[in-house]
Amino acid sequence: MLVTKTFHDIQTQLDSGGRALRIFVISPSISKYPQAKFPGVVVFSEIYQVTGPVERFASQIASQGFVVACPSVYHEFEGPEAIPYDVEGTDRGNKYKIEKTVAAFDEDAKLSINLLSTLPNCNGRIGATGMCLGGHLAFRAAFDQRVLASVCFFATDVHSATLGKGKSDDTLIRVRNGDLTGKGELVMIFGKQDTHVPRTGRDLIRTTLDDANVTVSFLEVQAQHAFIRDESSKGRWDAALTRSLFSFMMEVFDRTIGVDLGPLVDDTKPLEHVC
């Protein structure tokens, strides 16, 4: 499917500076179906905000028939522009990650889900995905009962509970308390060579989810951290594996959140061809 791109600036309550959260929206477009409705997916980015690789990943999801919302996670500190994939950018993104409160991360997720739920081309059935920091945020988004499936790529800081200001998040505590039990489907994907999430950390996450009777698929593959990033991956990008796991993710979303095309409109106007 073809896709269109726009953005919405939304005021938050927890940002004392009054800066708006920018949410980029990428939507599928089907000729002659102007009232088509699609499920929604929130795509949470790495520590670099919505970069080219994140936008391309989100656009591929949208082209499969999903309205995609990509929040700029560091609006409290700077504009919505992508942070460079360099040493300074990495240091900046990691610094913001532990200066922003977990409550503020959660508010951004809630506002992104709220936005999708109110868009005229979204049917209100919501999923979430993300990578690195975004994998953790997609995990936390699953606590929202409106999120029916979350696919988390190499989620950082879950095992160590070090997300947010004070480096003391409650993600696994909430899992143990039953906050994911009986809710949507969760998929956790990790590279076995990922130095950010060692084997002991992956084992802790898997055991905690299983002990809480969460509906989860736990995949460990032969890959390093950031293996789905097609730019500045420092030699870690695995295109074939990314394609395979993208298909796995789409099967989960197709099965859990569905699509509604609405009525057919017979538009007899000739299509404009743009080269």
Side-chain angles (χ1 to χ4, degrees), residues 102 136 140 156-174:
V102 173
H136 195 157
R140 291 188 65 85
T156 52
D157 304 315
V158 177
H159 69 288
S160 57
T162 51
L163 176 66
K165 190 172 183 178
K167 299 177 71 173
S168 181
D169 69 71
D170 63 348
T171 302
L172 291 184
I173 293 173
R174 293 187 63 180

Side-chain angles (χ1 to χ4, degrees), residues 78-203:
E78 59 178 74
E81 296 78 17
I83 296 174
Y85 286 122
D86 57 21
V87 173
E88 187 278 331
T90 299
D91 290 344
R92 198 190 332 163
N94 281 322
K95 176 175 176 284
Y96 294 158
K97 183 178 70 171
I98 58 174
E99 288 183 349
K100 179 164 179 161
T101 66
V102 173
F105 280 122
D106 289 346
E107 182 186 34
D108 291 351
K110 179 181 178 181
L111 291 173
S112 300
I113 297 165
N114 289 350
L115 174 63
L116 284 174
S117 299
T118 59
L119 292 177
N121 62 340
C122 182
N123 65 15
R125 298 178 64 80
I126 309 297
T129 187
M131 64 290 293
C132 191
L133 164 65
H136 195 157
L137 299 182
F139 188 121
R140 291 188 65 85
F143 292 129
D144 190 315
Q145 64 181 1
R146 296 172 295 176
V147 175
L148 303 180
S150 285
V151 180
C152 311
F153 289 88
F154 39 89
T156 52
D157 304 315
V158 177
H159 69 288
S160 57
T162 51
L163 176 66
K165 190 172 183 178
K167 299 177 71 173
S168 181
D169 69 71
D170 63 348
T171 302
L172 291 184
I173 293 173
R174 293 187 63 180
V175 173
R176 294 186 187 99
N177 290 341
D179 287 3
L180 279 184
T181 306
K183 290 189 176 178
E185 185 169 340
L186 187 68
V187 178
M188 304 298 295
I189 301 172
F190 290 103
K192 296 188 78 170
Q193 288 76 48
D194 188 340
T195 57
H196 292 73
V197 189
R199 177 180 176 181
T200 54
R202 300 194 302 271
D203 289 345

Side-chain angles (χ1 to χ4, degrees), residues 42-54:
V42 184
V43 172
F44 295 97
S45 70
E46 314 159 283
I47 60 171
Y48 307 97
Q49 300 211 104
V50 184
T51 59
V54 173

Side-chain angles (χ1 to χ4, degrees), residues 12-37:
T12 66
Q13 295 184 1
L14 297 181
D15 181 4
S16 59
R19 287 154 293 206
L21 163 67
R22 176 159 295 183
I23 303 175
F24 296 94
V25 176
I26 306 173
S27 300
S29 177
I30 303 179
S31 176
K32 300 184 181 180
Y33 288 95
Q35 298 180 54
K37 291 183 179 293

